[in-house]
Amino acid sequence: MTPVIEVKNVYKSFHSIRAVNGIDLTVGKGQFTAVLGPNGAGKTTLVEMIEGIQIPDSGEIRVMGHAWKGNEEALHRAIGISLQETRFMDRLTVWETLRLFASFYDLGKNRVSELIETVNLEEKTAAYTMNLSGGQRQRLALAIALLNRPKILLLDEPTTGLDPNARREIWAILLDLKRKSNTSLVLTTHYMEEAEHLCDTIMIIDKGVVLREGTMDQLLSEDAAEKIIAFSLDAPHPPRSHFENKCPFPVRWDSKNGKGTIALSSLEDQLPQFLSFLNACGLHLRSMECRRKTLDDLFTQMTGRRLNE
């Protein structure tokens, strides 16, 4: 694998807050990598350092084999960036906005037309940016990031706040890019479905530290045999002591929503034990489902919190 991004033992603090705490990351040519974590995990700070916007306190970052210092112009032409929030000039149309940004790269009308088609904004070509929906604005931001045919695409939370349909439109554009080019992608997100759907490798971070990284199979391989039992009870607020002192398996009980989960390695042997425990405690199931373990379950297991909290 030819690395296009190398992050080695990078630290970054803001006053007394350590935002990035010794992170290593390698992204290969054509590889899609997700940096997955909750709000405040350090995702944006990490990507801003890769983009050259922030300077690490210590450690090394190389993009296309080069440090940022002294190579700014060449690296700016090699990467495409979409930040968490993009502000456009309200009284410019979609066409005029793309023509403006295309002029920075000495690109003509043909490239603008091509990108409008790529991000499915043909019907909004003459619309003012102020009249675009959230999903349309994000597609326009993505088009701008793709104008220079970047070797590396850096997207920071590109679908946050979008409805499911708008989110999947962004996914479709990125998957099409993956099929048709060797562009490398670094995507920050707190949506596990997004990371799983789009990316080859996933790095889970929290409080500036890498918790685990690898492919989906690698991330879940240690507990591949485990199945998650999600359940609710007729009594939504059972005494916590039932689960802490009597249950044969660790229960993650969400008292706010009246739901719990347990991880079982053998349904045949352990599920009857769990049902017997409930019966002995006088607790009755309202609902129960069995599913495979997810990245959210993995994150909860490591931190005690859910990804979207």
Side-chain angles (χ1 to χ4, degrees):
M1 179 181 69
T2 303
V4 295
I5 296 174
E6 296 173 277
V7 177
K8 298 179 180 178
N9 199 31
V10 164
Y11 290 79
K12 182 67 178 179
S13 296
F14 298 97
H15 301 293
S16 61
I17 298 173
R18 178 66 60 80
V20 172
N21 192 5
I23 284 182
D24 297 306
L25 171 65
T26 300
V27 179
K29 183 178 181 180
Q31 180 180 327
F32 276 30
T33 297
V35 181
L36 178 67
N39 294 330
K43 306 186 300 295
T44 295
T45 301
L46 174 62
V47 168
E48 287 183 348
M49 288 189 289
I50 296 172
E51 294 165 349
I53 295 173
Q54 299 279 358
I55 299 174
D57 296 335
S58 62
E60 182 182 9
I61 294 177
R62 300 184 75 82
V63 179
M64 306 296 296
H66 302 287
W68 270 99
K69 189 174 182 179
N71 298 288
E72 292 87 351
E73 183 176 351
L75 293 181
H76 281 140
R77 289 186 174 275
I79 66 175
I81 298 172
S82 180
L83 304 177
Q84 267 189 351
E85 184 178 0
T86 303
R87 294 186 180 275
F88 302 110
M89 285 176 277
D90 289 346
R91 291 291 179 176
L92 287 186
T93 66
V94 167
W95 174 265
E96 291 166 339
T97 300
L98 280 168
R99 282 286 287 143
L100 173 64
F101 281 91
S103 70
F104 301 156
Y105 298 103
D106 298 320
L107 298 172
K109 296 180 180 179
N110 289 343
R111 182 57 178 160
V112 171
S113 297
E114 182 182 341
L115 263 298
I116 286 176
E117 182 179 351
T118 296
V119 300
N120 302 317
L121 284 176
E122 296 96 328
E123 295 181 0
K124 294 295 179 178
T125 300
Y128 288 130
T129 61
M130 63 185 292
N131 295 326
L132 299 179
S133 68
Q136 290 163 351
R137 292 175 68 85
Q138 284 303 93
R139 279 185 276 149
L140 177 57
L142 182 55
I144 292 170
L146 292 172
L147 269 169
N148 60 325
R149 295 184 174 88
K151 294 181 174 64
I152 299 170
L153 186 60
L154 303 169
L155 303 181
D156 191 9
E157 305 267 10
T159 66
T160 296
L162 300 186
D163 63 62
N165 287 334
R167 185 174 298 137
R168 290 189 176 276
E169 288 176 342
I170 299 289
W171 293 0
I173 295 167
L174 293 175
L175 288 175
D176 190 54
L177 175 70
K178 188 176 187 180
R179 286 191 296 268
K180 295 179 178 178
S181 75
N182 283 321
T183 300
S184 303
L185 170 71
V186 176
L187 166 83
T188 73
T189 183
H190 58 262
Y191 297 123
M192 63 175 183
E193 306 97 321
E194 187 161 273
E196 182 177 356
H197 191 71
L198 294 176
C199 295
D200 308 300
T201 61
I202 300 167
M203 183 171 74
I204 302 175
I205 71 172
D206 187 41
K207 298 178 180 177
V209 176
V210 177
L211 301 181
R212 195 173 292 186
E213 60 183 314
T215 65
M216 272 292 294
D217 288 343
Q218 289 168 342
L219 288 171
L220 300 178
S221 63
E222 293 181 13
D223 308 306
E226 286 192 338
K227 299 294 185 295
I228 301 297
I229 303 296
F231 65 95
S232 64
L233 302 171
D234 281 339
H237 303 292
R240 184 175 293 274
S241 60
H242 280 319
F243 296 134
E244 292 178 346
N245 302 324
K246 300 178 182 179
C247 187
F249 313 104
V251 175
R252 297 187 182 91
W253 181 253
D254 183 348
S255 57
K256 180 179 178 181
N257 296 313
K259 296 180 180 180
T261 59
I262 57 172
L264 302 180
S265 57
S266 172
L267 287 178
E268 293 82 359
D269 296 333
Q270 295 175 328
L271 184 56
Q273 295 178 47
F274 178 64
L275 296 177
S276 296
F277 153 75
L278 292 178
N279 186 56
C281 293
L283 300 173
H284 302 285
L285 284 171
R286 173 173 292 177
S287 65
M288 182 177 70
E289 65 171 326
C290 176
R291 56 175 173 78
R292 70 184 182 96
K293 197 167 192 176
T294 67
L295 292 176
D296 199 25
D297 295 318
L298 179 62
F299 185 81
T300 303
Q301 177 182 316
M302 291 187 290
T303 68
R305 309 187 327 274
R306 301 189 72 84
L307 273 168
N308 290 329
E309 288 183 356

